[in-house]
Amino acid sequence: LFRSAQTPLGTSTERHTRMKEIPKEEMIFNPLSFGDPNGRLFRWNEQLYRAIKPEVAGFYRDLLSNGTIQKLTGHGLVETEVTDLEIDGHGLILKHREIPVVSYPPEWCAAMLKDASLVTLDLMKNLADENLMLQDAHPWNILFDGTKPVFVDLGSIIPIGSSSHWVAADEFRRFFLHPLML
């Protein structure tokens, strides 16, 4: 899917691999996306994209090419696909299915918070089966598509690494478990 810097693009069989550079002046970065260490959300041509940093682009490209991300969409992860777009300073551009209505956790009833917590746990369980985990687990990573909670922060997925301890467990308790207990 991706060409090396040495690959000439003059032949007709290689033209389909050309990357399309997005003009920076046409991009609108999401102001709430600044905290993601692996990328940024932005809008372009009325579509929602995520620009992935070069140092982690290979990791996310592998997750998409080996079917892991597609499998996880069945467990609440937002549908995502690789694009042929490029942005200077980023290694991969992904397109997300857009959720039509955005609501925030303070607007949710207790049943919605419970459903959001359960989809986070289900996603985490399935990530662990793939030696992956969520690096953050707060309700702002969830949007509701009608009544269905959808985890929208693909950049939160990281390898488990040497520790099997869930790095976001305290955050999950603080933002999901404790409010539900109240």
Side-chain angles (χ1 to χ4, degrees):
L1 287 173
F2 293 89
R3 63 179 174 87
S4 70
Q6 293 81 24
T7 305
L9 292 177
T11 66
S12 62
T13 58
E14 295 173 358
R15 283 193 191 117
H16 71 279
T17 63
R18 287 187 190 197
M19 304 294 273
K20 179 178 180 179
E21 186 156 352
I22 301 173
K24 289 190 186 245
E25 64 274 3
E26 294 180 13
M27 297 170 37
I28 302 169
F29 280 101
N30 184 314
L32 301 176
S33 175
F34 64 89
D36 185 349
N38 295 324
R40 294 264 333 252
L41 282 176
F42 69 94
R43 295 189 66 72
W44 179 66
N45 282 348
E46 299 183 24
Q47 300 291 316
L48 184 64
Y49 297 92
R50 183 178 302 268
I52 301 292
K53 293 182 178 177
E55 57 270 19
V56 293
F59 169 72
Y60 291 102
R61 189 177 295 116
D62 289 347
L63 291 179
L64 281 147
S65 68
N66 70 19
T68 300
I69 297 299
Q70 294 81 351
K71 175 183 162 193
L72 294 170
T73 60
H75 297 281
L77 186 65
V78 68
E79 292 89 348
T80 303
E81 61 187 51
V82 175
T83 71
D84 64 348
L85 302 171
E86 68 178 12
I87 298 173
D88 197 26
H90 290 85
L92 178 65
I93 307 301
L94 303 173
K95 182 179 176 194
H96 293 303
R97 179 178 68 89
E98 193 164 354
I99 308 300
V101 177
V102 174
S103 65
Y104 297 100
E107 302 170 326
W108 300 347
C109 65
M112 291 173 80
L113 185 62
K114 177 184 173 188
D115 288 347
S117 71
L118 292 173
V119 81
T120 302
L121 289 174
D122 185 47
L123 182 59
M124 184 57 202
K125 175 192 165 295
N126 284 279
L127 284 165
D129 292 343
E130 304 290 333
N131 290 319
L132 302 167
M133 72 169 85
L134 298 173
Q135 69 181 344
D136 54 4
H138 52 72
W140 290 271
N141 285 339
I142 305 285
L143 294 178
F144 278 84
D145 187 7
T147 60
K148 180 182 172 190
V150 179
F151 192 91
V152 296
D153 187 8
L154 185 85
S156 178
I157 298 173
I158 61 170
I160 283 180
S162 61
S163 170
S164 61
H165 173 74
W166 183 20
V167 297
D170 288 337
E171 189 175 55
F172 180 84
R173 284 189 288 275
R174 190 170 55 247
F175 290 109
F176 284 114
L177 188 57
H178 294 157
L180 287 170
M181 288 170 57
L182 287 173

